[in-house]
Amino acid sequence: MTGQTLVKVGMADLNIAIEGAVLKTTGLGSCVGLTLFDPQCRVAGMAHVMLPSSDIARESQINLAKYADTAIPELLERMQAAGARLTRLEAKMAGGAQMFALGGSDTLRIGPRNVESCTAILGRYRIPILSADTGGNYGRTVEFDSYKGILVIRSVQHGVKEI
């Protein structure tokens, strides 16, 4: 993906891309890199979701991109403002790893809970998940091409794959 404009998405961040720009985020461990794409108008969005629910937020000014339940609606709003239509959106996601071997405590299952939360919220909006590369115990870096709708996933352990 050379020669294209690169739009970086940091941790607990989100952004959109148009005109073939590439969205990129690094450091996906338990976080989920969620992409949305309108293939007709080629508007893409990416959120680097850290936590499943804003119910656990402790900050006074909430970072909407940090939580699945606030990041997805915010991303949808930005994409629709750029011309995307909710009925045409498709999702792909990566990440949601269980980075540490821990006991059975549900509060420590951040990666799987992030995936479950993103999946449930997308279901409420009736946005299909076309493909996903989630789980495991390794980190990922992802790039999403806003022209082709391809998500490239890189990891040290598993090399490069496209979904």
Side-chain angles (χ1 to χ4, degrees), residues 2-3 9 13-15 31 39 41 43 56 62 65 78 99 104-106 111-112 122 137 141 150 153 156 158 160:
T2 58
V9 178
D13 189 16
L14 56 82
N15 213 330
C31 297
C41 67
V43 172
I56 61 172
I62 192 168
R78 290 188 192 187
M99 296 302 289
S105 172
D106 194 52
L122 291 170
N137 62 352
T141 291
I150 296 172
I153 303 152
V156 173
H158 298 277
V160 179

Side-chain angles (χ1 to χ4, degrees), residues 3-4 26 32 42 67 69 77 82 87 115-116 128 163:
Q4 294 171 291
T26 61
V32 168
R42 293 193 166 101
Y67 306 95
D69 66 329
E77 193 173 299
T87 55
V115 172
E116 292 161 8
I163 59 173

Side-chain angles (χ1 to χ4, degrees), residues 4-26:
Q4 294 171 291
T5 302
L6 185 65
V7 178
K8 292 184 180 181
V9 178
M11 186 179 289
D13 189 16
L14 56 82
N15 213 330
I16 65 168
I18 57 172
E19 299 176 0
V22 174
L23 291 156
K24 179 178 182 176
T25 194
T26 61

Side-chain angles (χ1 to χ4, degrees), residues 25 28-37 45-49 68 72 75 90-97 110-123 127-135 138 140-144 149-154 161-163:
T25 194
L28 292 174
S30 60
C31 297
V32 168
L34 172 70
T35 64
L36 297 174
F37 184 57
M46 180 184 284
H48 185 130
V49 175
I72 294 171
L75 189 58
E90 307 166 341
K92 294 182 180 181
M93 66 177 144
I110 299 298
R113 288 176 50 225
N114 281 339
V115 172
E116 292 161 8
S117 183
C118 287
T119 301
I121 294 163
L122 291 170
I127 298 171
I129 301 171
L130 297 188
S131 54
D133 181 44
T134 58
Y138 56 93
R140 297 166 172 92
T141 291
V142 298
E143 293 180 3
F144 190 81
I150 296 172
L151 181 62
V152 177
I153 303 152
R154 290 180 172 79
K161 71 166 88 169
E162 291 184 359
I163 59 173

Side-chain angles (χ1 to χ4, degrees), residues 98-105 107-110:
Q98 182 63 47
M99 296 302 289
F100 306 101
L102 301 167
S105 172
T107 58
L108 301 176
R109 293 180 54 252
I110 299 298

